[in-house]
Amino acid sequence: MKKLLDNINIAFIAIRMNLLRAILTMCIIAFGIMALIGMLTALEGLKSNLVSKFSDMGANSFVITPLYETFISGGHGRQRSAQLIEYRQAQRFRDHFKFSGNVSISYDATGSAILKTPDEKTNPNINVKAIDENYLAASGMQVKEGRNFTAIETEYGNNLVIIGKALRDQLFGNREALGQNINIGSYRFRVVGVLEEKGSTMGMTLDKDAYIPVNAARPIFPDNNKTYEIKVTVAHQGELNMAVEEATGIFRIIRRLNVGRENDFTITRSDSLARSLSENLSFLQVAAFVIGLMTLLGAVIGLMNIMLVSVTERTKEIGTRKAIGATTADIRNQFLMEAIVIGQVGGLAGIGMGLLLGNFVSMAIGGSFIVPWVWVITGFLLCFVVGITAGLLPALKAARENPIEALRYE
């Protein structure tokens, strides 16, 4: 233990004697670790955020959408729906699906609405969604102020609106929003609810969206050439597979699909979305890890070259130490410890900068602050490997020096 501490102390003395060279080497290592930890931290934060967003929908829900097919037109790939889901089809499904749970139907009314109050006006880029009374619960949305639509209000198409938090702040500021009127185009709607803030993901946010009853939207924003989305939430997660099978059978009948014909719609489970996102981000993590390793390879080469130069410059010191009793193992361990110390100090700096950079990027694109302990520990181990790999050859070269030749070296 004493020899280990002595070697560490000698390593720091050697680093101070060659401070500029040591700092440059540490910077190379720090940059490699910063790139590795930074990218992986950003991806972990984004992954955590996306999975939590889909988890809010619940693990016991699924969505029915049209089956989209890709075709080539003019040399470019395009997508089109095999057959849109019409309102009457969505309504029939809701009436016939008797499984325990809730069915919600909705469609995107417009993505370019202007919302106005007597004092404020938005840009023409507001999304207006036509929904029923079950949509918010099925989508994991919570009402912060006011209330949701009732079934009667949805059925009769009352001119009511629920708005996101950011939209409420833009139009009303510090004033009361509930009970106030908002013009959507030339139509007047009364605010009955404000949603909990959801934040942004990948630059997109739901906090500036507006929601109106589906039967209020249809006369204003015709649903011709628009597809409805059906969201189903079952009471118990264990019943999800049976619910999907029943939904598939019912919707095949509604779509008049003969036996043997493939489905022209897609059923996507909420947990499969989260899994798919996690798998895609895992590929990015592997790519980030490979890029980080390539950067660290450069750091290994740089550190090895500097240590070889250091061995050459300190040949007389090696001869003196051997002359007063230092063994070959002592010399080898001294130079190896010096490389390890440089690697660890550079690694610590790189891990700290990587965590700051990664979380900055993660939070900028809607992720959350996170410390990926697995990758932090991996970073420490990689720095240790870098130190040993880069320091082994110079340490062996120093240990093999002939003491008499070393003392005569000028």
Side-chain angles (χ1 to χ4, degrees), residues 28 62 82 98 103 131 140 150 199 205 219 226 307 330 342 368 386:
I28 296 172
F62 59 90
K98 301 303 182 183
V103 178
I131 65 172
T150 66
T205 179
K226 292 184 179 180
M307 290 301 298
D330 290 336
I342 290 174
S368 54
V386 165

Side-chain angles (χ1 to χ4, degrees), residues 110-115 122-128 167 170 208-210:
T110 180
S112 57
I114 298 176
L115 273 63
T122 69
N123 292 326
N125 61 351
I126 302 300
N127 292 319
V128 177
L167 192 56
Q170 180 181 356
K208 296 191 73 173
D209 291 356

Side-chain angles (χ1 to χ4, degrees), residues 174-396:
N174 295 325
R175 295 180 288 116
E176 177 64 44
L178 298 179
Q180 302 298 316
N181 291 324
I182 290 178
N183 278 15
I184 302 178
S186 57
Y187 296 87
R188 181 173 294 179
F189 289 79
R190 180 165 56 89
V191 178
V192 295
V194 177
L195 297 176
E196 286 274 4
E197 189 171 6
K198 300 286 283 186
S200 61
T201 302
M202 299 292 286
M204 298 181 292
T205 179
L206 300 176
D207 295 329
K208 296 191 73 173
D209 291 356
Y211 303 86
I212 60 178
V214 66
N215 284 332
R218 295 180 67 211
I220 303 171
F221 305 103
D223 54 8
N224 300 331
N225 299 321
K226 292 184 179 180
T227 188
Y228 279 78
E229 181 182 81
I230 303 171
K231 290 189 177 184
V232 180
T233 305
V234 298
H236 305 288
Q237 187 177 356
E239 300 174 340
L240 187 59
N241 290 332
M242 290 186 291
V244 169
E245 291 178 6
E246 181 173 332
T248 302
I250 292 173
F251 209 61
R252 282 184 62 86
I253 294 172
I254 292 173
R255 301 277 269 191
R256 298 180 179 178
L257 299 177
N258 296 327
V259 176
R261 185 177 171 186
E262 293 185 358
N263 295 337
D264 62 356
F265 56 91
T266 302
I267 294 183
T268 307
R269 294 168 47 155
S270 58
D271 56 353
S272 67
L273 286 172
R275 275 200 308 271
S276 176
L277 284 169
S278 296
E279 289 170 2
N280 289 334
L281 288 175
S282 295
F283 287 117
L284 291 177
Q285 284 180 325
V286 172
F289 188 71
V290 171
I291 293 170
L293 286 181
M294 291 172 65
T295 310
L296 285 177
L297 179 61
V300 169
I301 296 170
L303 179 56
M304 184 183 296
N305 286 332
I306 286 174
M307 290 301 298
L308 286 170
V309 172
S310 179
V311 169
T312 303
E313 289 181 348
R314 293 159 61 188
T315 300
K316 199 162 188 175
E317 175 195 329
I318 295 168
T320 303
R321 292 199 66 205
K322 282 195 170 185
I324 62 176
T327 64
T328 298
D330 290 336
I331 300 298
R332 182 194 64 217
N333 293 339
Q334 174 193 334
F335 280 88
L336 197 57
M337 182 56 65
E338 187 176 327
I340 291 172
V341 167
I342 290 174
Q344 288 299 313
V345 173
L348 278 171
I351 288 170
M353 292 187 295
L355 287 174
L356 291 174
L357 178 64
N359 279 299
F360 175 79
V361 173
S362 172
M363 296 174 77
I365 58 179
S368 54
F369 186 90
I370 190 170
V371 178
W373 290 108
V374 172
W375 294 116
V376 169
I377 295 170
T378 302
F380 276 114
L381 295 176
L382 283 174
C383 289
F384 186 75
V385 172
V386 165
I388 292 179
T389 306
L392 187 59
L393 181 62
L396 291 174

